[in-house]
Structure formats: structure tokens, C-alpha cells
Amino acid sequence: SASQLSVTMAAISELAMSTLVARGIPLRQAHVIVLTVGRFTVGHVLEEQAARPDAEAVKDFDLAAFAEQHPTLVGAITEYFQPGRTVDDLFRDCLEVVIAGAAVKAGATF
């Protein structure tokens, strides 16, 4: 991943920022929102593409002990990923939190 000049990304950023500015978001805030969403998206994609631990790396992992040490974390993951929920749902929900926070800060609604 890299931040490089791209005509396509410039056009996307222009459209996104101009749309936000047209809705009353100050230019600086629109720029921060677009950068944040872009970086969040790139980070999510990089995480999706990262290699998973091999069997040797997790051979001594004790799930029961982990769950006992981190009950809230395990409970949240278990509750969130009910049947039919995917990491795409999680991405969308997290992105909505970012956008809602930006809207509150900018005093706007999206």
C-alpha cells in the first residue's frame, strides 16, 4: 500500500470532498473524512489479505484459557458473528461509526 498520485484516486477524492463541501462540511473536515475513509478501507483490505497463522503457530493455543482471560472480547466476537454475518458486515458497521463520528464533529447529517 502506498500513497501515490493517481488520476483515478484524485477524481474519486474530488467527487467525495466536493459532495461533502456542497453539504456544508468545511473543506478541511471533508479532506480529513475522505482520507480517513480511504485509509480505513486500505487497512481493512490489507488485513483481509494477510496470511493466516499456520498450524504450527497456533498449535499450543488454548482457546478455553483465552476465553477465560478475555470473556468480553470473546463474547463480543461470538455475538457479532451470528449466522449470516460476515467480515463485510463488520467493515460496513465500522465505517458507519467513522462516518457518524465525522458527521457529529462537522455538525452535519449524512
Side-chain angles (χ1 to χ4, degrees):
S1 170
S3 292
Q4 300 175 4
L5 179 59
S6 159
V7 174
T8 301
M9 286 309 299
I12 292 168
S13 293
E14 176 66 28
L15 176 61
M17 282 190 280
S18 65
T19 300
L20 292 170
V21 169
R23 295 191 69 167
I25 305 299
L27 180 59
R28 181 178 184 283
Q29 185 69 17
H31 184 224
V32 170
I33 291 168
V34 171
L35 284 175
T36 300
V37 168
R39 290 178 179 172
F40 176 79
T41 302
V42 168
H44 179 79
V45 170
L46 288 173
E47 182 67 24
E48 278 188 324
Q49 295 177 0
R52 300 295 177 235
D54 61 21
E56 184 64 26
V58 295
K59 72 176 181 157
D60 294 325
F61 181 74
D62 184 342
L63 181 57
F66 182 85
E68 186 176 313
Q69 292 170 345
H70 309 283
T72 306
L73 173 62
V74 171
I77 292 168
T78 302
E79 185 277 329
Y80 188 86
F81 287 106
Q82 293 295 313
R85 276 227 167 117
T86 68
V87 293
D88 291 337
D89 296 316
L90 182 60
F91 172 79
R92 190 174 28 263
D93 289 346
C94 291
L95 188 56
E96 286 176 7
V97 168
V98 170
I99 292 169
V104 168
K105 186 171 183 176
T109 57
F110 295 111

